[in-house]
Amino acid sequence: MVSIDSIPGVVLGGVLLAALVAVGYLRRRRRTMADGGYPTPSERETELETEKPFGLVRWFTTVDHKDIGILYIVFGVVAALWGGTDAMMLRTELITPGKTIWGTETYNGLFTTHGVTMIFFFALPVFFGIANYFLPMLIGADDMSFPRINAIAFWLLPPSLVLVRGGLITEIIGKLLESVGLSALAYPLLALTPIDMSWTMYTPMSSSLANPQIDLALLGLHLSGIATTMGAINFIVTIFAERADDVEWANLDIFSWTMLTTSGIALFAFPVLGSAIIMLFLDRNFGTTFFALEGGGAILWQHLFWFWGHPEVYILVLPAFGLTSLILPKFSGRKLFGFKFIVYSTLAIGVLSFGVWAHHMFTTSVDPRVKASFMAVSIAIAIPSAVKTFNWMTTMWSGNIRLTAPMILIIGGIGTFIIGGVTGVFLASIPVDLVFHDTYYIVGHFHFIIMGIIAMSMVAASYYWFPILTRRMYDQRLAQVQAVLLIVGVTVSFTAMLVIGYLGLPRRYAYYPAEFTLLHQVATAGAYIIALSVFLWIVNFVQSARTGPLVMDADVWNLKESGQFTREWQWFERQLQERRGFERSTPRTPVAEDGGSGGSSDVGDGGEGGGGSDGRDD
Amino acid sequence: METNRVTGAIAGGVAGTAVLTLLLILLEVQTREQIQAFDVIARFVGTPGQTTVGFALFVVAGVVAWPLVFVAIRDYIPRGPDPAAQGAIFAIVLWVAFAVAGRGDLSGPILILYAAYTFFAHLAYGFTMGIVYGHFRGGSQTSREVYAQQ
Ligand code: HEM
Ligand SMILES: [Cu+2]
């Protein structure tokens, strides 16, 4: 039998090194300028604008922030569909109390891969994609600070996804090889079965399960953490260094503020996760005892994991808050109420998010006095969240509300966030958590936030910026139906779970007592409604991107009227002019011709005093 | 002109069948062989039990037969002149046959998953076939603007 163990490590290392050297050599030969220097920004621009290759080569070699943004978004959507298939299988298994189709082993695999895929490969990549595309435009930059690092950060993700989810793919390849008589090759592949230790990877289970696929998955997760950290550094540097002259901190738009905070959190949280993963990997393969009883024990893993894990939930939710704060005013016809306080609350959440991790450990043996302090901070973090919620409501108050699809989704997202947040405050109180810990109540709580405001703000952004992304308009009626279906599906499914948890059913079991059947079926019905809405979104998006009506006037949403025709739309207007020679919709709107810093109407929706009044004199 | 249509149709068939096969393999992988999609195919094309023969017939049908039928009856398929949209509609008809003939002894909840997933896979088949066919039939760029006026 050919086994990887029988090849000396030195040989493997040598091959790897040689490959790296070869790649580096080839790259240097292709890249060095005639004068031996590095390309200057203007040369870089030429390269981007005129020498962009066509077809697949373009997508594999691009360093343009817009292209990379699209790659991130497509990747995130593919991961979401894959993770969504897991979810639909889980919900289908739970239609009946006993074994419906798969039984325990596959069920455990499914909720693990579902969680890992959604957290690492769907939510953050999509936000990074949206930010890659629009953040440089919003702050008046030409590109991200480090376009090549940006590309690398993206291209680390596909291999990590394959590593994490490898067990299934290798199973099929293994069976194929076996059927043609190559069992020797098939054997190691068949030994890799899908990971099933849950996304929290609690030790001692994760350190003692024999499945070698877990090691590959750990490496994959580590790789994705590196990618995230690189992306985060890039966002931070870009926001600090690449702002146009007239973009001050005071009028930096709200989405960039949240991306800055998110990236800051990620910069501190992800290296901890990466280290913890490496320690677990060493425990599994090299006999170290970080998480063994004689070492730090299982609690050490929980501390390290949740020191990343809780900040991670705010890493995910802050961009959603940012999109909500950005889009809501556009369809309320008013500026964001209390802009400053929304920024302060974002920063407050960024700091506080590191002080609450042990609320995931209330049922462990952590000292009660320590737990009490974590309870206090957990409840305190509800305050900045509430500040945002009230500011959103005030923004809508007596506004001129237009119920377009993005607006429906944003309002729905605020609603689901209120349910998710309030259930979270309950959980933050230790006595309540002792009752609900590891029940479906938890599942309901965080899904109201993740499938609620997080997913909904993404879909809202996809509709809101659809004209910029595709130069076309989508089917607005279909989109409204889709938005409502998504809100209904999320509410039905996860309310049922809150009730199931309230009645005390533990989560993560494939079988359950018969009296929960009806509630589980309701939750499954809700999940199928969500799936239907996702399907409608894809159909609308793909078909409208191909054949939707062409956008002739950049002011698709009548933003000039309320003085909110922000930089990305002005960029879009210039694009329409340059590429197609279209007339400007409102000739009097003072958009700077120099294409760079722009006039006073360039000021985003930032700051109360910000510009934008120019667009209003219509 | 006729050969152009036939080449375009077959090229569309190749692309569409590749996508459909990939999606069905993924389904197989994902459900850990609960659905046995390739036996479904064998039953669908009328050779129950003989998976390899069934698969070969599936490829021939997907690459040659269905695309030619599609081209022949295209004028009667709604949502023209966009061949991709028409291809998707055409594929729904195929899916009905596939789902009914191939479901075998799947029953209960897994039937929901099976139906939904194969529906999606067939749409992808028809859509891809239509796109590639349209591409061969004289550039997408001008016709795109034409659809936009519909
Ligand atoms: C803002 C976005 C939020 C997200 C994305 C989120 C997400 C999550 C997730 C994923 C879990 C499950 C952990 C597990 O596997 O056991 C969880 C649990 C928990 N959440 Fe949240 N949460 C959010 C907000 C809040 C807020 C505002 C609070 C409290 C003020 C809170 C309190 C809790 C507590 C105490 C638990 C632990 C419950 C237990 O495991 O017994 N969460 N949350
Ligand atoms: Cu937490």
Side-chain angles (χ1 to χ4, degrees):
Chain A
M1 192 196 74
V2 187
S3 147
I4 194 120
D5 300 334
S6 61
I7 307 172
V10 191
V11 176
L12 285 180
V15 170
L16 207 66
L17 204 64
L20 279 179
V21 171
V23 170
Y25 183 69
L26 284 178
R27 271 181 59 93
R28 214 188 60 192
R29 270 221 326 219
R30 246 189 315 134
R31 201 188 48 193
T32 323
M33 311 277 300
D35 61 359
Y38 291 103
T40 64
S42 67
E43 280 156 351
R44 198 170 74 199
E45 195 137 304
T46 328
E47 177 190 325
L48 292 180
E49 290 304 322
T50 58
E51 288 176 27
K52 209 184 247 181
F54 290 100
L56 276 185
V57 183
R58 164 179 168 194
W59 294 105
F60 281 112
T61 57
T62 182
V63 291
D64 178 359
H65 70 100
K66 296 194 291 302
D67 289 350
I68 293 175
I70 289 173
L71 285 174
Y72 264 116
I73 293 171
V74 170
F75 174 84
V77 170
V78 169
L81 292 177
W82 198 354
T85 315
D86 294 333
M88 291 307 129
M89 288 169 68
L90 288 170
R91 287 318 314 173
T92 306
E93 173 62 44
L94 293 172
I95 288 179
T96 62
K99 176 174 179 203
T100 304
I101 306 162
W102 287 285
T104 309
E105 190 196 333
T106 302
Y107 185 86
N108 292 348
L110 284 172
F111 70 69
T112 304
T113 47
H114 168 68
V116 173
T117 308
M118 292 305 200
I119 294 278
F120 288 89
F121 300 106
F122 157 53
L124 206 54
V126 168
F127 280 134
F128 271 22
I130 295 175
N132 249 304
Y133 201 104
F134 290 104
L135 192 144
M137 287 181 197
L138 287 168
I139 65 172
D142 295 334
D143 202 325
M144 299 286 287
S145 277
F146 308 116
R148 285 184 173 77
I149 290 184
N150 204 19
I152 296 170
F154 169 76
W155 283 107
L156 288 181
L157 288 179
S160 23
L161 178 62
V162 170
L163 279 172
V164 169
R165 302 216 42 154
L168 287 169
I169 303 165
T170 50
E171 201 170 275
I172 285 292
I173 302 177
K175 283 195 178 135
L176 269 176
L177 289 175
E178 211 173 23
S179 68
V180 295
L182 293 168
S183 336
L185 284 178
Y187 178 78
L189 292 178
L190 289 177
L192 304 171
T193 55
I195 50 173
D196 56 359
M197 71 284 188
S198 157
W199 79 287
T200 52
M201 300 176 272
Y202 278 174
T203 59
M205 198 214 285
S206 57
S207 51
S208 55
L209 283 173
N211 180 7
Q213 171 58 27
I214 292 180
D215 297 314
L216 294 184
L218 290 177
L219 292 177
L221 291 179
H222 189 68
L223 207 58
S224 86
I226 294 173
T228 304
T229 313
M230 283 159 76
I233 291 172
N234 214 346
F235 284 124
I236 294 174
V237 177
T238 305
I239 295 174
F240 268 91
E242 303 278 318
R243 273 172 298 134
D245 293 336
D246 59 340
V247 180
E248 312 280 335
W249 289 113
N251 60 20
L252 184 64
D253 70 282
I254 192 71
F255 181 62
S256 303
W257 268 114
T258 51
M259 280 312 296
L260 180 66
T261 317
T262 278
S263 304
I265 305 177
L267 189 60
F268 285 98
F270 269 89
V272 175
L273 177 72
S275 315
I277 283 178
I278 290 299
M279 285 148 79
L280 181 55
F281 184 82
L282 294 177
D283 267 13
R284 287 178 55 82
N285 295 284
F286 295 95
T288 56
T289 56
F290 291 111
F291 304 119
L293 219 50
E294 62 271 31
I299 292 289
L300 175 62
W301 170 264
Q302 293 202 20
H303 278 302
L304 292 175
F305 180 83
W306 287 114
F307 185 85
W308 161 80
H310 189 85
E312 165 73 2
V313 306
Y314 282 102
I315 291 173
L316 298 180
V317 87
L318 284 181
F321 289 169
L323 290 174
T324 302
S325 306
L326 185 89
I327 298 174
L328 187 77
K330 308 284 152 78
F331 299 102
S332 306
R334 302 182 57 199
K335 298 231 162 210
L336 186 61
F337 180 86
F339 178 87
K340 239 189 245 170
F341 293 94
I342 297 221
V343 172
Y344 290 150
S345 66
T346 303
L347 296 173
I349 289 176
V351 174
L352 288 177
S353 67
F354 283 100
V356 298
W357 78 85
H359 68 210
H360 296 269
M361 300 160 67
F362 283 159
T363 56
T364 65
S365 59
V366 171
D367 188 309
R369 288 163 298 181
V370 176
K371 281 188 205 165
S373 70
F374 277 95
M375 166 171 155
V377 185
S378 296
I379 293 176
I381 208 171
I383 296 169
S385 307
V387 166
K388 287 177 188 296
T389 314
F390 287 118
N391 277 336
W392 291 329
M393 294 200 261
T394 321
T395 305
M396 286 193 285
W397 193 266
S398 75
N400 170 25
I401 292 177
R402 286 178 286 159
L403 284 180
T404 57
M407 187 63 168
I408 295 174
L409 286 160
I410 291 294
I411 295 176
I414 296 174
T416 55
F417 174 64
I418 292 174
I419 305 177
V422 169
T423 50
V425 177
F426 290 163
L427 288 174
S429 120
I430 295 177
V432 179
D433 186 67
L434 292 182
V435 179
F436 288 140
H437 178 72
D438 259 338
T439 67
Y440 270 89
Y441 192 88
I442 309 295
V443 186
H445 153 67
F446 66 82
H447 277 89
F448 259 111
I449 294 165
I450 288 179
M451 274 307 291
I453 191 166
I454 292 179
M456 286 176 195
S457 73
M458 288 173 180
V459 181
S462 80
Y463 287 137
Y464 174 59
W465 280 319
F466 191 88
I468 296 188
L469 288 165
T470 64
R471 307 262 143 80
R472 286 171 192 276
M473 198 55 198
Y474 56 88
D475 182 334
Q476 304 211 39
R477 176 68 60 81
L478 186 60
Q480 283 168 325
V481 172
Q482 188 269 335
V484 172
L485 275 180
L486 182 60
I487 295 169
V488 170
V490 167
T491 313
V492 168
S493 192
F494 301 117
T495 306
M497 289 193 205
L498 285 178
V499 175
I500 294 172
Y502 190 76
L503 298 175
L505 185 69
R507 61 177 169 146
R508 296 192 179 124
Y509 286 92
Y511 309 143
Y512 57 88
E515 64 258 36
F516 290 100
T517 311
L518 181 63
L519 281 169
H520 261 309
Q521 286 171 348
V522 171
T524 302
Y528 287 159
I529 296 177
I530 297 174
L532 176 64
S533 84
V534 172
F535 176 74
L536 293 183
W537 177 77
I538 295 178
V539 168
N540 195 354
F541 205 97
V542 171
Q543 202 51 9
S544 304
R546 295 177 58 245
T547 66
L550 278 173
V551 171
M552 307 285 186
D553 175 358
D555 194 9
V556 191
W557 304 119
N558 272 325
L559 297 177
K560 287 180 180 167
E561 213 174 74
S562 59
Q564 303 190 69
F565 194 69
T566 39
R567 267 170 198 278
E568 81 279 27
W569 294 101
Q570 293 166 17
W571 174 87
F572 184 48
E573 189 166 60
R574 285 194 298 274
Q575 289 281 308
L576 290 183
Q577 275 173 325
E578 283 166 21
R579 300 257 171 107
R580 308 209 181 207
F582 287 144
E583 264 310 299
R584 220 181 284 175
S585 59
T586 323
R588 274 183 298 143
T589 309
V591 177
E593 289 301 337
D594 57 14
S597 47
S600 56
S601 69
D602 266 6
V603 180
D605 54 335
E608 294 91 319
S613 53
D614 299 307
R616 211 178 277 154
D617 58 2
D618 254 340
Chain B
M1 217 42 182
E2 276 307 305
T3 48
N4 189 1
R5 275 172 68 176
V6 172
T7 337
I10 291 184
V14 171
T17 308
V19 169
L20 179 58
T21 311
L22 193 78
L23 286 175
L24 288 180
I25 289 180
L26 249 171
L27 175 68
E28 199 64 2
V29 167
Q30 181 72 24
T31 61
R32 312 199 75 185
E33 289 146 80
Q34 282 293 318
I35 293 203
Q36 306 280 349
F38 294 94
D39 290 347
V40 172
I41 291 168
R43 286 192 295 270
F44 173 55
V45 293
T47 57
Q50 294 175 272
T51 316
T52 326
V53 178
F55 185 71
L57 282 174
F58 163 79
V59 172
V60 173
V63 171
V64 183
W66 300 137
L68 290 181
V69 173
F70 169 70
V71 173
I73 63 167
R74 225 190 106 195
D75 289 346
Y76 307 99
I77 304 178
R79 302 215 62 99
D82 176 7
Q86 288 179 304
I89 304 260
F90 177 71
I92 293 177
V93 181
L94 291 182
W95 168 75
V96 172
F98 183 91
V100 173
R103 123 179 97 93
D105 26 73
L106 292 179
S107 64
I110 195 166
L111 208 54
I112 306 173
L113 272 185
Y114 163 78
Y117 191 99
T118 53
F119 178 74
F120 190 73
H122 276 77
L123 275 190
Y125 166 78
F127 188 79
T128 315
M129 178 181 78
I131 279 201
V132 175
Y133 174 75
H135 203 75
F136 270 72
R137 301 278 300 156
S140 42
Q141 214 47 43
T142 41
S143 40
R144 264 178 150 201
E145 314 304 336
V146 175
Y147 311 142
Q149 331 239 292
Q150 302 293 312

